[in-house]
Amino acid sequence: MKGKITITITIGLICFILTAVMFIQFKTINQTDITSLENMREDELRAEIAKFKTKYEETIVKYEEIVEKQEEYQNTINTDTEASELLDQELKQVKDLLGYNEVKGSGIIITLTDTDKQKIVAEDVILLLNELKLAGAEAISINDQRIVYNSYAADIDNKYISVTGVRLVSPYIVKAIGNRNIFRKWSF
Amino acid sequence: MIAIAILIGCILGALIGVHAPTISYTYSGYLAIAIVAALDSVFGGITSVLKRNFDLKIFISGFFGNAILSIMLTWLGIKLNVDIYLAAIVVFVGRMFINLAIIRRYYIEKWSKKDEAKKETLG
């Protein structure tokens, strides 16, 4: 009888321990967030690390691509700047030719003055201007009146010379900018 | 009487287990393997009761011994990088199925004998 009671109590105790431990385990598994990093098993963590490594490598490749592209863009920008500088230069040259710009530089100044014996006529002026142009003058002016591609000179009443519609009288100060040596060699 | 002891033990165990603090997830693997080992011991005990060779000492030593041994083997497996706990689970669950089969046969035979006895008395 005594042995039976011991067996009964022992089996009850064993059942008690077993169910208690089982329920603790159920609760633990239920409450644990398996996806959180602290609760991952080692192989899961390893897989995660491998994934991140691949991602990291991919990101590096992408980064390098982007840097390359950036350099390309930078190069394009530089080329564009060069092109625009060239255009600017051309524009300046064209403006110089058209007389829109003030031109500074070395050259010669020729003064034509009427004398008692001789009067300067438009033909003389035209001749001089043509000679200067042939001598390679970049910019020419008479009495600060710029001579451009469509300028003209004409006599008016034998008193004035009209240069592109502006009446000029003696003395005529012709300023030409260009290579001084060539001007000198050119015999006027 | 034993059935009542089992019932009371299970209910008390469930109540305590629900209100007990949880353990760390890292150790829940060990606890799980210990539970499987203990369950195996319990089924083994029931089988031995049916076979009338139940020994309390063997039962208790098997219950705790198997649980502790399986925990240690699992720990060793993690250290050796071999999943030893799989082997433990295979052995324990296999034995559980064998024991369950023995228990099933015992009760089916008992029930069919009863049936035959009834028929004989009727005949």
Side-chain angles (χ1 to χ4, degrees):
Chain A
M1 193 62 203
K2 204 186 166 196
K4 196 144 193 200
I5 288 170
T6 320
I7 288 171
T8 312
I9 289 169
T10 315
I11 287 174
L13 211 65
I14 295 266
C15 281
F16 165 72
I17 291 168
L18 185 60
T19 33
V21 171
M22 271 169 79
F23 272 86
I24 288 172
Q25 177 77 347
F26 292 159
K27 219 174 120 188
T28 306
I29 299 296
N30 241 347
Q31 284 183 1
T32 309
D33 182 12
I34 295 176
T35 51
S36 83
L37 206 63
E38 288 84 17
N39 297 319
M40 277 186 180
R41 296 225 166 95
E42 210 177 304
D43 44 349
E44 285 174 332
L45 285 171
R46 244 176 244 169
E48 204 77 357
I49 285 173
K51 215 165 78 185
F52 271 106
K53 253 187 192 169
T54 345
K55 253 186 201 167
Y56 176 72
E57 276 163 15
E58 270 173 22
T59 315
I60 277 188
V61 169
K62 242 180 215 170
Y63 171 75
E64 277 171 2
E65 263 174 31
I66 285 168
V67 164
E68 232 168 74
K69 243 183 208 171
Q70 202 192 10
E71 265 174 28
E72 235 170 66
Y73 285 142
Q74 198 65 47
N75 283 341
T76 321
I77 287 169
N78 285 343
T79 337
D80 279 0
T81 318
E82 271 171 34
S84 82
E85 270 173 14
L86 213 68
L87 278 175
D88 270 351
Q89 224 174 322
E90 255 173 51
L91 183 69
K92 197 182 162 288
Q93 277 176 0
V94 170
K95 274 190 172 174
D96 284 352
L97 279 177
L98 290 175
Y100 289 128
N101 281 350
E102 289 277 322
V103 184
K104 275 184 189 170
S106 58
I108 53 167
I109 298 172
I110 300 164
T111 313
L112 305 171
T113 321
D114 286 350
T115 54
D116 297 336
K117 290 177 189 169
Q118 200 183 3
K119 193 171 160 35
I120 302 292
V121 291
E123 214 172 302
D124 301 325
V125 173
I126 291 164
L127 202 70
L128 178 62
L129 293 179
N130 280 337
E131 291 289 337
L132 283 170
K133 257 188 190 171
L134 284 171
E138 286 166 24
I140 309 165
S141 68
I142 298 182
N143 292 8
D144 294 329
Q145 175 79 18
R146 277 292 285 272
I147 306 300
V148 289
Y149 69 100
N150 58 354
S151 297
Y152 63 88
D155 288 317
I156 296 173
D157 301 338
N158 283 328
K159 279 182 193 165
Y160 322 104
I161 297 174
S162 168
V163 175
T164 327
V166 178
R167 290 176 177 191
L168 304 176
V169 288
S170 173
Y172 309 102
I173 301 161
V174 178
K175 292 174 183 169
I177 289 172
N179 194 330
R180 228 186 290 180
N181 293 330
I182 294 174
F183 287 151
R184 251 177 226 148
K185 278 176 195 164
W186 211 270
S187 54
F188 290 113
Chain B
M1 204 158 121
I2 287 175
I4 292 166
I6 290 170
L7 201 70
I8 289 169
C10 285
I11 290 165
L12 273 177
L15 281 174
I16 297 284
V18 164
H19 294 289
T22 58
I23 53 154
S24 162
Y25 188 78
T26 322
Y27 300 116
S28 71
Y30 297 109
L31 198 59
I33 202 83
I35 286 168
V36 173
L39 271 175
D40 168 58
S41 293
V42 167
F43 282 113
I46 292 166
T47 312
S48 60
V49 165
L50 299 181
K51 282 181 175 174
R52 293 181 198 287
N53 60 355
F54 179 77
D55 189 336
L56 193 65
K57 279 173 208 152
I58 290 171
F59 176 63
I60 290 171
S61 64
F63 184 86
F64 290 107
N66 278 353
I68 291 164
L69 190 68
S70 59
I71 286 172
M72 277 164 67
L73 276 176
T74 310
W75 174 80
L76 185 70
I78 286 169
K79 291 286 163 208
L80 289 174
N81 196 20
V82 173
D83 294 336
I84 291 180
Y85 71 91
L86 286 177
I89 281 179
V90 168
V91 170
F92 289 139
V93 175
R95 250 174 28 200
M96 266 161 70
F97 275 115
I98 290 167
N99 287 334
L100 275 171
I102 291 167
I103 293 162
R104 197 183 68 236
R105 268 155 214 260
Y106 175 83
Y107 280 107
I108 285 173
E109 272 169 23
K110 209 177 169 185
W111 182 68
S112 48
K113 263 181 195 167
K114 240 187 193 171
D115 226 32
E116 273 174 23
K118 238 185 193 174
K119 268 181 193 167
E120 269 172 27
T121 44
L122 279 171

